Amino acid sequence: MYVTWDLMANAIVAGILLGGFYAAVAVGVTIAFGMLDIVNIAHPAVMMIGAFLAYLALNTFGIDPMITMVILAGVGLAIGPFLYRGYHALIEKRGDESLQGLAFFFGILFIVEIGLVMTFGVDYRALELSYLSKTFELGAVSIPARMLIPFVVAMIMCGLCYAYLFYTFTGRTILAVAQDVEAVRLIGADPQRSKSVAFSIAIATGLVAGVLLILIQPVEPSIGREFIGRAFAVCVLGGIASITGTVTAAMILGVAETLTASLIGPSWSPAISFGLLLLTLAFRPSGIFGR
Amino acid sequence: MNMDHTTVTSGVTQTDKRRRRTTELMIAAAGILLSLLLIVVGRTYGDYFYVASYVVLQFVLLATAWNVLGGYSGYVNFGSAGFFAVGCYTTILLGKLFDAPLAVCVPAAGIVAGLIGLGTGYLSLRLRGVFFSIATLALAVMLQTLIVNWSYVGGARGVYVLRPDTSGPFDSYVQLLAIVMCLMATAAVIVAVVVERSWIGFGLAALRDDETAAEAAGVPSLRLKLIATTLSGFLMGVAGAPFPYYITYVDPASAFSLAIAINTIAMPLIGGTATWWGPVVGALLLGITQQVLTVTISSAANLLIVGVLLVIFVAVAPNGIVGLVRKFRESRR
């Protein structure tokens, strides 16, 4: 295949847009796994729930996904504390988290996936919206709205998470919990509450990321699993507990995937994230920005 | 295995050895009896009986294989479907290249999967706990992508496999497969007993409890982990080897199947991971239940049940059925 500059430019722009979406997926993992040590490999399942709720909302109630997104973020924040309490009571309290926690979330992942298969079937579902099919031309580079909208929403969401974590008291206690739980108690904050808030944020971002996913591409229940690798790859590459690292790593992954897809072939792109993850884990477990 | 020189240093006493010998003999006897029973019962119920038994026994083998690493050392392998598929595709490749018989494919599949297991063992040098698990998951997806893009072994479309002619004393090829699987599962359980009650098992248990402390005490952690990952990978590969002949049409979705990924982890965790019989109990119980349920309700629903059981057991009874039985015995004492 002859590679032109136009093709490269298009692939890179598409990659950055896609990377923005991956950041939305991974930011929840960065918060739950990186900061709270909760190995929520069921995060993509939360995403799939969001995607299918957006589908239902549009097709049965006629609610625009942009509104569904905001509602779901609220719902996520509202039910998050209960989910965290459940997880804490069942698994975290016992102290022996790694194996049991992993198996627990692995089970949840499958329950959600099979539950969705049984309710919606294995057909691909997509949202038919006129504004999604628009394309903006910027010189030789074309930017589809299908990619641009998720990118913008994702950046706003990551920005909000960043602002909350760094500029509010509770947010800062969440960052502190990630480093030293005892020290958080000493300054008079309740680590349990911080963790509960952080977990709720993670759930909310997962639901929103799901809505973004169904804006980008048709969705069926099992594609959630593809995002386990992507989310964890981005999280690890970005240095595990860093929001800015996550966004940067997500862009790198996005560009790597679109370049692979246009230079070698789209069927190879699932291997990119996992390959990147394996390489990072094997050679640089502290991430690209790690010391 | 010659264990004489380790007897003193690693705490394997003569009584332990004798006990192990008895257990091994009993399992071997049980395996052979079960094969004979399969033939006798199969005569009356026909081929479907073999089809169902094959799946259950395959899960006994997979659960035992997973437990050698996951249960004994605490390293959770999420990529078991990947190892299984490697075994499966080794058979397809050897069949296409050399028309190799099953007796050659099984050990070859084991060796290839074992080598990949060895690779993950080296990964465990740097990756502990959760990171190791995510890496194994990553490995499975990479392998799947590789197979999808490899058109010689069928690629994304899949490949048809012709069963060889049934020969010798067997009535049908499925009967042969069921008996082969029964003998392999028996052998795997014996391997698990040997590992569990030798210096390897004790060392792995030490790693599971506290890897740093074990290393400080002189436990050769890398060697032990490499043994466990290789052995576990080998057994999973072996489990996948006869699969192409069993379903006769293999595509990436059936080789890297959801059912295998979840059952292989759920069965040992539900049965109990600390002993060799936990995975066996879990696999028999869940395997048979699923076979009965698949006939009565859909296969998606029965995977859902496995998922729900897994979550319940992990949350409420983390030591599985073995743990519940032990607790019950102690409370009666």
Side-chain angles (χ1 to χ4, degrees):
Chain A
M1 198 203 312
Y2 184 65
V3 182
T4 60
W5 286 111
D6 285 359
L7 186 74
M8 289 290 281
N10 267 301
I12 289 169
V13 171
I16 290 172
L17 295 179
L18 184 67
F21 163 66
Y22 288 165
V25 178
V27 73
V29 172
T30 299
I31 293 172
F33 174 57
M35 298 181 185
L36 308 180
D37 263 342
I38 299 174
V39 276
N40 188 3
I41 49 169
H43 192 72
V46 175
M47 231 175 99
M48 298 320 291
I49 295 176
F52 278 94
L53 285 178
Y55 177 81
L56 265 187
L58 182 68
N59 290 300
T60 45
F61 305 108
I63 305 172
D64 190 275
M66 295 301 155
I67 300 163
T68 316
M69 206 179 281
V70 179
I71 299 172
L72 282 181
V75 170
L77 290 176
I79 60 169
F82 298 101
L83 296 178
Y84 175 72
R85 219 173 288 166
Y87 166 75
H88 180 76
L90 290 173
I91 308 286
E92 199 175 48
K93 209 170 54 185
R94 274 209 306 261
D96 158 41
E97 282 147 59
S98 68
L99 193 158
Q100 311 290 354
L102 267 173
F104 179 76
F105 283 115
F106 194 66
I108 301 271
L109 177 73
F110 279 96
I111 293 174
V112 171
E113 183 179 325
I114 297 159
L116 287 174
V117 168
M118 289 169 78
T119 11
F120 293 95
V122 289
D123 305 330
Y124 277 92
R125 313 271 173 167
L127 298 184
E128 302 299 331
L129 286 165
S130 58
Y131 63 79
L132 282 180
S133 47
K134 284 204 182 85
T135 303
F136 307 99
E137 302 286 342
L138 239 150
V141 178
S142 56
I143 301 174
R146 204 172 267 284
M147 301 299 301
L148 185 65
I149 297 169
F151 176 80
V152 173
V153 174
M155 288 303 106
I156 294 173
M157 193 166 81
C158 292
L160 284 176
C161 287
Y162 185 86
Y164 183 78
L165 288 172
F166 283 88
Y167 298 110
T168 65
F169 181 74
T170 320
R172 287 180 164 193
T173 61
I174 293 169
L175 293 175
V177 161
Q179 293 173 4
D180 192 336
V181 177
E182 283 310 308
V184 174
R185 283 210 185 87
L186 288 178
I187 59 159
D190 177 6
Q192 244 14 72
R193 202 183 93 79
S194 310
K195 281 185 146 192
S196 157
V197 172
F199 191 70
S200 312
I201 296 174
I203 296 290
T205 60
L207 289 170
V208 173
V211 182
L212 299 181
L213 174 66
I214 203 170
L215 291 179
I216 295 177
Q217 62 169 83
V219 166
E220 56 104 7
S222 72
I223 65 168
R225 263 179 294 149
E226 285 175 19
F227 288 93
I228 303 176
R230 292 199 176 113
F232 278 89
V234 167
C235 173
V236 172
L237 193 61
I240 296 191
S242 149
I243 303 273
T244 43
T246 298
V247 174
T248 321
M251 304 274 175
I252 293 174
L253 175 64
V255 173
E257 277 193 7
T258 49
L259 281 180
T260 317
S262 51
L263 298 181
I264 307 173
S267 58
W268 284 98
S269 55
I272 296 303
S273 61
F274 283 105
L276 203 62
L277 175 63
L278 275 183
L279 288 177
T280 319
L281 285 177
F283 297 108
R284 201 152 170 75
S286 55
I288 34 172
F289 302 116
R291 268 148 292 169
Chain B
M1 192 191 292
N2 178 19
M3 302 241 319
D4 290 340
H5 65 288
T6 54
T7 311
V8 188
T9 48
S10 62
V12 183
T13 62
Q14 287 298 321
T15 359
D16 281 338
K17 271 176 80 177
R18 218 172 299 129
R19 250 184 61 205
R20 201 183 82 200
R21 234 8 119 230
T22 341
T23 325
E24 282 162 24
L25 284 175
M26 275 165 62
I27 296 167
I32 292 163
L33 267 178
L34 189 60
S35 322
L36 292 174
L37 194 71
L38 279 179
I39 299 174
V40 175
V41 181
R43 285 261 155 79
T44 37
Y45 288 97
D47 271 359
Y48 181 73
F49 177 76
Y50 296 122
V51 170
S53 323
Y54 177 89
V55 176
V56 175
L57 291 164
Q58 169 190 298
F59 279 130
V60 172
L61 176 47
L62 280 172
T64 304
W66 184 90
N67 203 47
V68 167
L69 179 67
Y72 297 162
S73 76
Y75 277 83
V76 179
N77 180 359
F78 276 138
S80 38
F83 288 93
F84 177 86
V86 163
C88 196
Y89 276 98
T90 306
T91 299
I92 293 174
L93 186 65
L94 289 180
K96 280 203 137 184
L97 285 175
F98 315 111
D99 240 351
L102 191 59
V104 176
C105 293
V106 169
I111 290 168
V112 176
L115 285 176
I116 295 177
L118 186 68
T120 58
Y122 278 108
L123 266 185
S124 75
L125 253 185
R126 302 196 64 154
L127 307 174
R128 289 184 182 178
V130 181
F131 292 100
F132 177 80
S133 305
I134 297 167
T136 56
L137 194 69
L139 185 75
V141 176
M142 299 255 302
L143 288 171
Q144 186 167 0
T145 314
L146 195 73
I147 294 293
V148 164
N149 287 289
W150 190 3
S151 53
Y152 187 70
V153 292
R157 269 177 323 176
V159 60
Y160 286 95
V161 182
L162 286 178
R163 281 179 184 164
D165 293 330
T166 313
S167 58
F170 300 104
D171 299 334
S172 65
Y173 204 74
V174 220
Q175 184 192 32
L176 178 138
L177 287 177
I179 288 162
V180 165
M181 191 48 87
C182 184
L183 296 176
M184 293 196 314
T186 312
V189 175
I190 293 173
V191 168
V193 174
V194 172
V195 168
E196 186 183 322
R197 303 204 178 148
S198 67
W199 64 277
I200 305 175
F202 296 147
L204 289 173
L207 294 186
R208 179 181 61 204
D209 293 339
D210 189 335
E211 191 160 336
T212 318
E215 272 174 2
V219 174
S221 64
L222 178 63
R223 191 145 54 105
L224 286 168
K225 285 191 289 189
L226 292 181
I227 292 173
T229 50
T230 310
L231 201 56
S232 177
F234 178 89
L235 293 174
M236 286 179 187
V238 159
F243 190 67
Y245 293 117
Y246 172 75
I247 57 166
T248 67
Y249 166 73
V250 185
D251 65 345
S254 62
F256 293 86
S257 89
L258 200 60
I260 287 165
I262 185 155
N263 275 312
T264 307
I265 295 174
M267 286 165 173
L269 283 170
I270 289 171
T273 53
T275 58
W276 62 268
W277 56 280
V280 176
V281 169
L284 288 176
L285 214 64
L286 279 178
I288 293 171
T289 316
Q290 282 181 67
Q291 285 307 312
V292 175
L293 288 182
T294 317
V295 184
T296 46
I297 54 173
S298 76
S299 60
N302 81 53
L303 270 188
L304 185 66
I305 294 169
V306 177
V308 172
L309 274 178
L310 173 63
V311 169
I312 293 175
F313 265 90
V314 165
V316 183
N319 295 321
I321 295 172
V322 170
L324 291 178
V325 170
R326 284 207 174 135
K327 218 185 252 172
F328 179 69
R329 268 200 209 146
E330 271 161 27
S331 68
R332 281 185 44 171
R333 214 170 273 161

